[in-house]
Amino acid sequence: ETGVTQTPRHLVMGMTNKKSLKCEQHLGHNAMYWYKQSAKKPLELMFVYNFKEQTENNSVPSRFSPECPNSSHLFLHLHTLQPEDSALYLCASSQGAGGGDTQYFGPGTRLTVL
Amino acid sequence: DAKTTQPPSMDCAEGRAANLPCNHSTISGNEYVYWYRQIHSQGPQYIIHGLKNNETNEMASLIITEDRKSSTLILPHATLRDTAVYYCIAHNNAGNMLTFGGGTRLMVKP
């Protein structure tokens, strides 16, 4: 148990659906991250939030829409996804977003797009 | 982040020490050496990190060579639950992204 929880753990959706992934951290951290891990590929950073403000968008398509209402919660809203978006989506948090802080990961959401 | 090189796989007998090497010959002075592991289809788990000095915590020990060009993660008494992919990362303390390479698939056998 890392102090970072993600729901749902598994999600199957059609290309026309709209769904949201939720991440919550109980570590008192100020920075939160979304990563994508596709099969046989390294982790890809998607978004970074620091004190609720988005500080990095790593050229992510607009069909992925993040939301950070407070420092403890992070959402990833999904709409009109493609089958190639099927992957493990990981949330992480760290004390700050200055790069030197250790990132702690949640268990991930396994997303399948049909 | 500097490039790291790890053996793709290793075996270890249960109860014995697992020594996982990592080469990071181009590491720069402000990059920490981080170790994470990932059990199949779960999120990466932080293990340990260090800059210059050797480090130890309840999970593992990290030995960094004096020139910082390589390091070794030591799991002192490996158990079956330590079977996972272990990632060594040289992380720039000015950047946000952790760059995970191929890692080492450690198989702990009874």
Side-chain angles (χ1 to χ4, degrees):
Chain A
E1 189 63 45
T2 63
V4 181
T5 59
Q6 289 186 244
T7 54
R9 294 293 307 277
H10 300 271
L11 178 62
V12 179
M13 60 186 289
M15 289 190 285
T16 58
N17 292 158
K18 290 184 180 181
K19 296 286 184 184
S20 296
L21 309 185
K22 179 183 176 182
C23 176
E24 184 174 359
Q25 58 94 1
H26 311 273
L27 301 169
H29 289 167
N30 298 308
M32 297 187 77
Y33 310 75
W34 279 117
Y35 284 85
K36 174 185 178 183
Q37 188 175 35
S38 303
K40 300 186 180 180
K41 286 186 179 180
L43 261 70
E44 303 169 49
L45 180 67
M46 300 175 73
F47 302 103
V48 181
Y49 278 81
N50 195 27
F51 290 96
K52 303 188 298 178
E53 298 297 321
Q54 187 179 128
T55 59
E56 194 158 336
N57 176 335
N58 206 24
S59 302
V60 180
S62 60
R63 58 186 184 269
F64 295 91
S65 175
E67 179 190 1
C68 188
N70 54 61
S71 292
S72 298
H73 294 86
L74 185 63
F75 295 89
L76 188 62
H77 303 300
L78 316 171
H79 63 97
T80 325
L81 293 193
Q82 305 298 312
E84 59 264 29
D85 296 321
S86 298
L88 181 67
Y89 288 84
L90 292 157
C91 174
S93 72
S94 65
Q95 184 61 48
D101 294 309
T102 300
Q103 295 181 26
Y104 294 89
F105 287 82
T109 295
R110 173 69 62 186
L111 174 67
T112 302
V113 181
L114 302 176
Chain B
D1 294 353
K3 179 177 165 55
T4 61
T5 305
Q6 300 175 253
S9 64
M10 289 181 64
D11 289 346
C12 178
E14 188 179 17
R16 306 297 293 267
N19 297 296
L20 293 95
C22 179
N23 181 288
H24 31 79
S25 58
T26 61
I27 195 169
S28 60
N30 63 355
E31 287 182 316
Y32 290 78
V33 179
Y34 274 82
W35 283 84
Y36 283 80
R37 71 182 182 184
Q38 190 170 22
I39 297 169
H40 181 62
S41 292
Q42 297 183 23
Q45 178 188 22
Y46 166 76
I47 301 173
I48 198 166
H49 75 286
L51 186 63
K52 295 180 182 178
N53 300 323
N54 298 337
E55 302 286 345
T56 295
N57 64 20
E58 64 278 3
M59 289 183 69
S61 294
L62 173 60
I63 308 298
I64 302 174
T65 58
E66 194 168 340
D67 62 9
R68 299 207 332 120
K69 294 187 177 186
S70 66
S71 61
T72 301
L73 178 75
I74 301 172
L75 306 179
H77 306 287
T79 70
L80 299 179
R81 286 183 293 182
D82 292 323
T83 293
V85 179
Y86 287 77
Y87 296 98
C88 167
I89 301 164
H91 183 44
N92 186 318
N93 64 7
N96 290 310
M97 185 174 69
L98 290 172
T99 304
F100 285 72
T104 295
R105 184 172 298 278
L106 176 68
M107 180 73 72
V108 180
K109 297 184 175 179

